[in-house]
Amino acid sequence: MTKSLYFSAIALFAVGITFSCSQTKTTQSQTSNTDFKLGNKQVTVYTTAQNTDHRLTQTETLQFKDFGQPLETQVCVFVDPAKTFQTMVGIGGAITDATAETVAKMPKEKQQEILKAYYDPTAGIGYTLARTTIHSSDFATGSYTYIEENDKELKTFSVRHDEQFRIPFIKQAIAAAGGKLTTYASPWSPPAFMKDTKTMLRGGKLLPEYRQPWADYFVKFVNAYEKAGIPIWGLTVQNEPMAKQTWESCIFTAEEERDFIKNFLGPTLYKNGMKDKKLIAWDHNRDLIYQRASTVLNDPEAAKYVWGIGYHWYETWTGSDMLFDNLRKVKETFPETNLIFTEGCIEKFDFNRINDWSLGERYGYSMVNDFNAGTVAWTDWNMVLDEKGGPNHVGNFCFAPIHADTRNGKVYYTNSYYYLGHFSKFVKPGAKRIISSSNRDALQTTAFLNPDGKVAVVVLNTTDKKLPYKLWINGKAADAISLPHSIATLVL
């Protein structure tokens, strides 16, 4: 499919509804005084749908009419722009070594195509958020750190390794995003000599005598990246702290993470003028998120350093569905602490599944429910991977929204790219989530009031059914249709 057709389909699949309204400052779960007068304003619909050419494609315009009380037999999506909740930070993806190296192997025009596809707010899907790694993860060609072995005083610290691929790509991404890209970083493991297992792989724990040097390592990373021209907005304490992986990993119990934050990492950041860096705890799955959050945040000396609780979507490896209710419990209990989705991807790459529609639907399902649970930022895992789902130094190959075939220079857009775009293209930083509810479980929905006064409503249909419905706001309704296996966004 041509690139123009892909973007056309993107517009169709994300149904974005924008409503002109006077801008009102609202707080979470507060009623706005704004009187939304829809009048004869039109709604522009963008759609992505299976068995069609629609990929974020502008498909139709709708008209609101007086409607009043709907019947139970009438399918509706109800939107209330007067009730606002969390404020959005951004939506984006991770710039790993694998992503940067893969893009660097592509022809120059394809490199620019990929940057534009992700970061251009008009021709692309307008990413505003990025995650990167503190030295190596599994998605690199090998394990490495920024210091020489046994350098306890960090005298040899250098990010020279990242200057070949990752730092240049992040700087290109910042430029493509208009000069600003909210970027945070996560470590997968301390250097081997700092751990009880003496290896960066297969779990292990940080030795007590290296807690301070490891905290200092974070500071040196931030200083080095910012000196290179990459502002660091935030840091997570440890990627997947309860996972003993075959790749870089390190175990922290909830109590160990709490104590590392309050006694070492938090004070070290503050002492080095980094009080403004957003510190994110947990950075693992939704299954244990309440236990982790409560252990850390019930300690005021640890909680004062923590901006948010990060989470992934891989609790499904146990056979569970995604546990969105656990997010709600954290938000209800700790309303001042932010929820941020820090990683998710489809595992076990198979090139024959590149057009599998379920890839994107998993993104849509997660994002609708994550945002409705109170999440303020959402980060995909690798933005770009190669034709093998890598590179990855332990064979943990995965899907990405875009795959770049380094053998022939071709770029493949999976439908995940478009599903993501239905949110990132229409939901801007500073947007506030508003109420959007459906009277049928076949239609899942979330909605946002953007800083410019426009409302974006996303409607997700993962069924085989074509579902006519009414978009209902303040006693007026517009007739819409949700195609089978589709996602949409609407604009007034």
Side-chain angles (χ1 to χ4, degrees), residues 131 188 239-240 282-287 310-315 340-344:
R131 184 190 190 209
W188 265 240
N239 177 73
E240 298 186 347
W282 188 222
D283 198 8
H284 204 166
N285 298 329
R286 301 183 188 94
D287 50 4
Y311 65 94
H312 302 179
W313 73 14
Y314 307 113
E315 67 267 22
I340 173 172
F341 183 91
T342 48
E343 184 184 319

PDB file of all heavy atoms in Angstrom, residues 131 188 239-240 282-287 310-315 340-344:
ATOM      1  N   ARG A 131      10.637   7.196  25.049  1.00  0.00           N
ATOM      2  CA  ARG A 131      11.383   6.499  26.094  1.00  0.00           C
ATOM      3  C   ARG A 131      12.685   6.009  25.483  1.00  0.00           C
ATOM      4  O   ARG A 131      12.732   5.644  24.306  1.00  0.00           O
ATOM      5  CB  ARG A 131      10.568   5.312  26.607  1.00  0.00           C
ATOM      6  CG  ARG A 131      11.192   4.545  27.770  1.00  0.00           C
ATOM      7  CD  ARG A 131      10.407   3.261  28.003  1.00  0.00           C
ATOM      8  NE  ARG A 131      10.778   2.585  29.241  1.00  0.00           N
ATOM      9  CZ  ARG A 131      10.695   1.269  29.427  1.00  0.00           C
ATOM     10  NH1 ARG A 131      10.267   0.485  28.442  1.00  0.00           N
ATOM     11  NH2 ARG A 131      11.013   0.713  30.583  1.00  0.00           N
ATOM     12  N   TRP A 188      17.845  -1.199  32.486  1.00  0.00           N
ATOM     13  CA  TRP A 188      17.476  -2.623  32.518  1.00  0.00           C
ATOM     14  C   TRP A 188      18.308  -3.369  33.573  1.00  0.00           C
ATOM     15  O   TRP A 188      17.834  -4.343  34.137  1.00  0.00           O
ATOM     16  CB  TRP A 188      17.684  -3.250  31.140  1.00  0.00           C
ATOM     17  CG  TRP A 188      16.470  -3.302  30.287  1.00  0.00           C
ATOM     18  CD1 TRP A 188      15.891  -4.436  29.774  1.00  0.00           C
ATOM     19  CD2 TRP A 188      15.650  -2.212  29.833  1.00  0.00           C
ATOM     20  NE1 TRP A 188      14.775  -4.109  29.038  1.00  0.00           N
ATOM     21  CE2 TRP A 188      14.608  -2.742  29.052  1.00  0.00           C
ATOM     22  CE3 TRP A 188      15.696  -0.837  30.002  1.00  0.00           C
ATOM     23  CZ2 TRP A 188      13.617  -1.958  28.461  1.00  0.00           C
ATOM     24  CZ3 TRP A 188      14.726  -0.037  29.418  1.00  0.00           C
ATOM     25  CH2 TRP A 188      13.697  -0.598  28.660  1.00  0.00           C
ATOM     26  N   ASN A 239      13.501  -1.026  34.997  1.00  0.00           N
ATOM     27  CA  ASN A 239      12.597  -1.727  34.093  1.00  0.00           C
ATOM     28  C   ASN A 239      12.285  -3.115  34.644  1.00  0.00           C
ATOM     29  O   ASN A 239      13.182  -3.876  35.011  1.00  0.00           O
ATOM     30  CB  ASN A 239      13.243  -1.872  32.713  1.00  0.00           C
ATOM     31  CG  ASN A 239      12.373  -2.654  31.752  1.00  0.00           C
ATOM     32  OD1 ASN A 239      11.358  -2.152  31.276  1.00  0.00           O
ATOM     33  ND2 ASN A 239      12.750  -3.907  31.471  1.00  0.00           N
ATOM     34  N   GLU A 240      11.005  -3.431  34.752  1.00  0.00           N
ATOM     35  CA  GLU A 240      10.518  -4.759  35.143  1.00  0.00           C
ATOM     36  C   GLU A 240      11.272  -5.332  36.352  1.00  0.00           C
ATOM     37  O   GLU A 240      11.958  -6.359  36.245  1.00  0.00           O
ATOM     38  CB  GLU A 240      10.571  -5.709  33.941  1.00  0.00           C
ATOM     39  CG  GLU A 240       9.673  -5.228  32.805  1.00  0.00           C
ATOM     40  CD  GLU A 240       9.570  -6.200  31.641  1.00  0.00           C
ATOM     41  OE1 GLU A 240      10.384  -7.153  31.580  1.00  0.00           O
ATOM     42  OE2 GLU A 240       8.691  -6.003  30.786  1.00  0.00           O
ATOM     43  N   TRP A 282       7.964   1.381  39.745  1.00  0.00           N
ATOM     44  CA  TRP A 282       7.395   0.131  39.230  1.00  0.00           C
ATOM     45  C   TRP A 282       7.845  -0.172  37.803  1.00  0.00           C
ATOM     46  O   TRP A 282       8.696  -0.974  37.593  1.00  0.00           O
ATOM     47  CB  TRP A 282       5.872   0.109  39.360  1.00  0.00           C
ATOM     48  CG  TRP A 282       5.228  -1.222  39.032  1.00  0.00           C
ATOM     49  CD1 TRP A 282       4.080  -1.401  38.315  1.00  0.00           C
ATOM     50  CD2 TRP A 282       5.658  -2.538  39.413  1.00  0.00           C
ATOM     51  NE1 TRP A 282       3.762  -2.756  38.227  1.00  0.00           N
ATOM     52  CE2 TRP A 282       4.724  -3.479  38.889  1.00  0.00           C
ATOM     53  CE3 TRP A 282       6.740  -3.026  40.132  1.00  0.00           C
ATOM     54  CZ2 TRP A 282       4.836  -4.858  39.067  1.00  0.00           C
ATOM     55  CZ3 TRP A 282       6.859  -4.410  40.306  1.00  0.00           C
ATOM     56  CH2 TRP A 282       5.915  -5.295  39.777  1.00  0.00           C
ATOM     57  N   ASP A 283       7.261   0.407  36.770  1.00  0.00           N
ATOM     58  CA  ASP A 283       7.702   0.155  35.396  1.00  0.00           C
ATOM     59  C   ASP A 283       7.596  -1.327  35.053  1.00  0.00           C
ATOM     60  O   ASP A 283       8.492  -1.907  34.442  1.00  0.00           O
ATOM     61  CB  ASP A 283       9.137   0.675  35.222  1.00  0.00           C
ATOM     62  CG  ASP A 283       9.543   0.880  33.770  1.00  0.00           C
ATOM     63  OD1 ASP A 283       8.671   0.760  32.885  1.00  0.00           O
ATOM     64  OD2 ASP A 283      10.731   1.168  33.522  1.00  0.00           O
ATOM     65  N   HIS A 284       6.486  -1.952  35.493  1.00  0.00           N
ATOM     66  CA  HIS A 284       6.270  -3.372  35.228  1.00  0.00           C
ATOM     67  C   HIS A 284       4.773  -3.585  35.016  1.00  0.00           C
ATOM     68  O   HIS A 284       4.048  -2.624  34.768  1.00  0.00           O
ATOM     69  CB  HIS A 284       6.829  -4.194  36.396  1.00  0.00           C
ATOM     70  CG  HIS A 284       7.197  -5.597  36.030  1.00  0.00           C
ATOM     71  ND1 HIS A 284       7.958  -6.400  36.846  1.00  0.00           N
ATOM     72  CD2 HIS A 284       6.896  -6.366  34.954  1.00  0.00           C
ATOM     73  CE1 HIS A 284       8.126  -7.590  36.290  1.00  0.00           C
ATOM     74  NE2 HIS A 284       7.485  -7.594  35.135  1.00  0.00           N
ATOM     75  N   ASN A 285       4.276  -4.799  35.115  1.00  0.00           N
ATOM     76  CA  ASN A 285       2.916  -5.107  34.679  1.00  0.00           C
ATOM     77  C   ASN A 285       1.825  -4.635  35.643  1.00  0.00           C
ATOM     78  O   ASN A 285       2.085  -4.316  36.802  1.00  0.00           O
ATOM     79  CB  ASN A 285       2.790  -6.605  34.437  1.00  0.00           C
ATOM     80  CG  ASN A 285       3.714  -7.085  33.332  1.00  0.00           C
ATOM     81  OD1 ASN A 285       4.012  -6.338  32.400  1.00  0.00           O
ATOM     82  ND2 ASN A 285       4.196  -8.307  33.443  1.00  0.00           N
ATOM     83  N   ARG A 286       0.581  -4.666  35.137  1.00  0.00           N
ATOM     84  CA  ARG A 286      -0.562  -4.204  35.936  1.00  0.00           C
ATOM     85  C   ARG A 286      -0.899  -5.159  37.086  1.00  0.00           C
ATOM     86  O   ARG A 286      -1.601  -4.771  38.011  1.00  0.00           O
ATOM     87  CB  ARG A 286      -1.809  -4.066  35.051  1.00  0.00           C
ATOM     88  CG  ARG A 286      -1.675  -3.111  33.870  1.00  0.00           C
ATOM     89  CD  ARG A 286      -3.003  -3.032  33.137  1.00  0.00           C
ATOM     90  NE  ARG A 286      -2.942  -2.295  31.880  1.00  0.00           N
ATOM     91  CZ  ARG A 286      -2.752  -2.869  30.690  1.00  0.00           C
ATOM     92  NH1 ARG A 286      -2.590  -4.190  30.596  1.00  0.00           N
ATOM     93  NH2 ARG A 286      -2.727  -2.133  29.593  1.00  0.00           N
ATOM     94  N   ASP A 287      -0.417  -6.398  37.031  1.00  0.00           N
ATOM     95  CA  ASP A 287      -0.851  -7.391  38.017  1.00  0.00           C
ATOM     96  C   ASP A 287      -0.449  -7.032  39.444  1.00  0.00           C
ATOM     97  O   ASP A 287      -1.246  -7.147  40.376  1.00  0.00           O
ATOM     98  CB  ASP A 287      -0.361  -8.800  37.638  1.00  0.00           C
ATOM     99  CG  ASP A 287       1.124  -8.867  37.311  1.00  0.00           C
ATOM    100  OD1 ASP A 287       1.824  -7.836  37.437  1.00  0.00           O
ATOM    101  OD2 ASP A 287       1.597  -9.960  36.921  1.00  0.00           O
ATOM    102  N   GLY A 310       4.703   3.683  36.688  1.00  0.00           N
ATOM    103  CA  GLY A 310       4.722   3.186  35.322  1.00  0.00           C
ATOM    104  C   GLY A 310       4.271   1.737  35.254  1.00  0.00           C
ATOM    105  O   GLY A 310       4.404   0.990  36.219  1.00  0.00           O
ATOM    106  N   TYR A 311       3.761   1.338  34.093  1.00  0.00           N
ATOM    107  CA  TYR A 311       3.307  -0.056  33.959  1.00  0.00           C
ATOM    108  C   TYR A 311       3.378  -0.524  32.518  1.00  0.00           C
ATOM    109  O   TYR A 311       3.409   0.276  31.581  1.00  0.00           O
ATOM    110  CB  TYR A 311       1.889  -0.226  34.515  1.00  0.00           C
ATOM    111  CG  TYR A 311       0.821   0.527  33.744  1.00  0.00           C
ATOM    112  CD1 TYR A 311       0.089  -0.099  32.736  1.00  0.00           C
ATOM    113  CD2 TYR A 311       0.542   1.864  34.013  1.00  0.00           C
ATOM    114  CE1 TYR A 311      -0.879   0.582  32.024  1.00  0.00           C
ATOM    115  CE2 TYR A 311      -0.429   2.554  33.310  1.00  0.00           C
ATOM    116  CZ  TYR A 311      -1.137   1.910  32.312  1.00  0.00           C
ATOM    117  OH  TYR A 311      -2.093   2.596  31.592  1.00  0.00           O
ATOM    118  N   HIS A 312       3.415  -1.863  32.363  1.00  0.00           N
ATOM    119  CA  HIS A 312       3.440  -2.547  31.070  1.00  0.00           C
ATOM    120  C   HIS A 312       2.153  -3.370  30.924  1.00  0.00           C
ATOM    121  O   HIS A 312       1.348  -3.441  31.845  1.00  0.00           O
ATOM    122  CB  HIS A 312       4.658  -3.473  30.963  1.00  0.00           C
ATOM    123  CG  HIS A 312       5.964  -2.782  31.126  1.00  0.00           C
ATOM    124  ND1 HIS A 312       7.181  -3.438  31.078  1.00  0.00           N
ATOM    125  CD2 HIS A 312       6.283  -1.478  31.347  1.00  0.00           C
ATOM    126  CE1 HIS A 312       8.170  -2.593  31.255  1.00  0.00           C
ATOM    127  NE2 HIS A 312       7.645  -1.387  31.433  1.00  0.00           N
ATOM    128  N   TRP A 313       1.996  -4.045  29.785  1.00  0.00           N
ATOM    129  CA  TRP A 313       0.761  -4.812  29.551  1.00  0.00           C
ATOM    130  C   TRP A 313       0.978  -6.327  29.508  1.00  0.00           C
ATOM    131  O   TRP A 313       0.089  -7.094  29.152  1.00  0.00           O
ATOM    132  CB  TRP A 313       0.073  -4.349  28.288  1.00  0.00           C
ATOM    133  CG  TRP A 313       0.679  -4.709  26.950  1.00  0.00           C
ATOM    134  CD1 TRP A 313       1.646  -5.635  26.671  1.00  0.00           C
ATOM    135  CD2 TRP A 313       0.301  -4.154  25.688  1.00  0.00           C
ATOM    136  NE1 TRP A 313       1.900  -5.682  25.320  1.00  0.00           N
ATOM    137  CE2 TRP A 313       1.084  -4.783  24.696  1.00  0.00           C
ATOM    138  CE3 TRP A 313      -0.631  -3.188  25.299  1.00  0.00           C
ATOM    139  CZ2 TRP A 313       0.977  -4.461  23.347  1.00  0.00           C
ATOM    140  CZ3 TRP A 313      -0.738  -2.877  23.945  1.00  0.00           C
ATOM    141  CH2 TRP A 313       0.046  -3.496  22.993  1.00  0.00           C
ATOM    142  N   TYR A 314       2.141  -6.812  29.946  1.00  0.00           N
ATOM    143  CA  TYR A 314       2.489  -8.221  29.749  1.00  0.00           C
ATOM    144  C   TYR A 314       1.947  -9.159  30.820  1.00  0.00           C
ATOM    145  O   TYR A 314       2.345 -10.331  30.859  1.00  0.00           O
ATOM    146  CB  TYR A 314       4.013  -8.378  29.666  1.00  0.00           C
ATOM    147  CG  TYR A 314       4.669  -7.483  28.645  1.00  0.00           C
ATOM    148  CD1 TYR A 314       5.514  -6.450  29.047  1.00  0.00           C
ATOM    149  CD2 TYR A 314       4.458  -7.663  27.285  1.00  0.00           C
ATOM    150  CE1 TYR A 314       6.136  -5.629  28.125  1.00  0.00           C
ATOM    151  CE2 TYR A 314       5.073  -6.849  26.343  1.00  0.00           C
ATOM    152  CZ  TYR A 314       5.916  -5.828  26.764  1.00  0.00           C
ATOM    153  OH  TYR A 314       6.536  -5.005  25.850  1.00  0.00           O
ATOM    154  N   GLU A 315       1.045  -8.682  31.707  1.00  0.00           N
ATOM    155  CA  GLU A 315       0.447  -9.610  32.673  1.00  0.00           C
ATOM    156  C   GLU A 315      -0.323 -10.725  31.973  1.00  0.00           C
ATOM    157  O   GLU A 315      -0.657 -11.747  32.591  1.00  0.00           O
ATOM    158  CB  GLU A 315      -0.480  -8.876  33.651  1.00  0.00           C
ATOM    159  CG  GLU A 315      -1.740  -8.279  33.042  1.00  0.00           C
ATOM    160  CD  GLU A 315      -1.570  -6.838  32.613  1.00  0.00           C
ATOM    161  OE1 GLU A 315      -0.421  -6.409  32.399  1.00  0.00           O
ATOM    162  OE2 GLU A 315      -2.589  -6.134  32.495  1.00  0.00           O
ATOM    163  N   ILE A 340       1.437   6.121  34.128  1.00  0.00           N
ATOM    164  CA  ILE A 340       2.050   6.236  32.805  1.00  0.00           C
ATOM    165  C   ILE A 340       2.328   4.833  32.258  1.00  0.00           C
ATOM    166  O   ILE A 340       2.954   4.006  32.921  1.00  0.00           O
ATOM    167  CB  ILE A 340       3.347   7.089  32.850  1.00  0.00           C
ATOM    168  CG1 ILE A 340       4.076   7.061  31.489  1.00  0.00           C
ATOM    169  CG2 ILE A 340       4.275   6.671  33.986  1.00  0.00           C
ATOM    170  CD1 ILE A 340       5.249   8.022  31.401  1.00  0.00           C
ATOM    171  N   PHE A 341       1.802   4.569  31.064  1.00  0.00           N
ATOM    172  CA  PHE A 341       2.082   3.308  30.383  1.00  0.00           C
ATOM    173  C   PHE A 341       3.472   3.440  29.761  1.00  0.00           C
ATOM    174  O   PHE A 341       3.695   4.284  28.892  1.00  0.00           O
ATOM    175  CB  PHE A 341       1.034   3.045  29.302  1.00  0.00           C
ATOM    176  CG  PHE A 341       1.207   1.728  28.584  1.00  0.00           C
ATOM    177  CD1 PHE A 341       0.580   0.590  29.045  1.00  0.00           C
ATOM    178  CD2 PHE A 341       1.984   1.644  27.439  1.00  0.00           C
ATOM    179  CE1 PHE A 341       0.725  -0.631  28.374  1.00  0.00           C
ATOM    180  CE2 PHE A 341       2.138   0.437  26.766  1.00  0.00           C
ATOM    181  CZ  PHE A 341       1.512  -0.704  27.241  1.00  0.00           C
ATOM    182  N   THR A 342       4.417   2.597  30.214  1.00  0.00           N
ATOM    183  CA  THR A 342       5.802   2.752  29.800  1.00  0.00           C
ATOM    184  C   THR A 342       6.263   1.752  28.745  1.00  0.00           C
ATOM    185  O   THR A 342       7.301   1.977  28.117  1.00  0.00           O
ATOM    186  CB  THR A 342       6.736   2.652  31.026  1.00  0.00           C
ATOM    187  OG1 THR A 342       6.371   1.500  31.801  1.00  0.00           O
ATOM    188  CG2 THR A 342       6.605   3.880  31.901  1.00  0.00           C
ATOM    189  N   GLU A 343       5.513   0.655  28.550  1.00  0.00           N
ATOM    190  CA  GLU A 343       5.937  -0.293  27.515  1.00  0.00           C
ATOM    191  C   GLU A 343       4.862  -1.297  27.167  1.00  0.00           C
ATOM    192  O   GLU A 343       4.162  -1.820  28.042  1.00  0.00           O
ATOM    193  CB  GLU A 343       7.183  -1.066  27.974  1.00  0.00           C
ATOM    194  CG  GLU A 343       7.727  -2.007  26.906  1.00  0.00           C
ATOM    195  CD  GLU A 343       8.893  -2.843  27.408  1.00  0.00           C
ATOM    196  OE1 GLU A 343       9.743  -2.297  28.127  1.00  0.00           O
ATOM    197  OE2 GLU A 343       8.923  -4.042  27.089  1.00  0.00           O
ATOM    198  N   GLY A 344       4.768  -1.598  25.870  1.00  0.00           N
ATOM    199  CA  GLY A 344       3.922  -2.676  25.390  1.00  0.00           C
ATOM    200  C   GLY A 344       4.285  -3.007  23.954  1.00  0.00           C
ATOM    201  O   GLY A 344       4.583  -2.108  23.164  1.00  0.00           O
TER     202      GLY A 344
END
